[in-house]
Amino acid sequence: DGDGLPDLAVADTGYHATQAVGPFNIGAVHIFSGNGIPAPLLRSVFGTAQVDYFGAALATVDDLNGDGIGELAIGAHQVGGI
């Protein structure tokens, strides 16, 4: 969020789009600010299909787009039904 403090990414691979009916296990990653307790939620990113398990892997990578800020890579091991 540009405040100079590290933020926290939390994966929720079992996230359901709705709790009553599917799609199930699409997954989500929630980004929290490193500034404050409790840490404010900055953004959530969601998988797109049932059993994607979006967020199964998280990794930081070097700046890819030239803005001077490192990137967050997010894996989803069931994308494409593989």
Side-chain angles (χ1 to χ4, degrees):
D1 61 355
D3 64 7
L5 297 171
D7 297 325
L8 175 67
V10 177
D12 179 3
T13 57
Y15 175 83
H16 302 323
T18 64
Q19 296 301 320
V21 296
F24 297 103
N25 299 322
I26 64 171
V29 174
H30 308 287
I31 312 295
F32 294 91
S33 173
N35 187 10
I37 296 177
L41 178 65
L42 297 173
R43 179 177 191 167
S44 294
V45 185
F46 303 95
T48 58
Q50 186 160 302
V51 298
D52 272 355
Y53 298 103
F54 185 76
L58 299 175
T60 56
V61 295
D62 291 334
D63 179 19
L64 299 176
N65 60 1
D67 65 359
I69 301 170
E71 316 300 343
L72 176 65
I74 303 172
H77 77 87
Q78 289 291 337
V79 169
I82 298 173

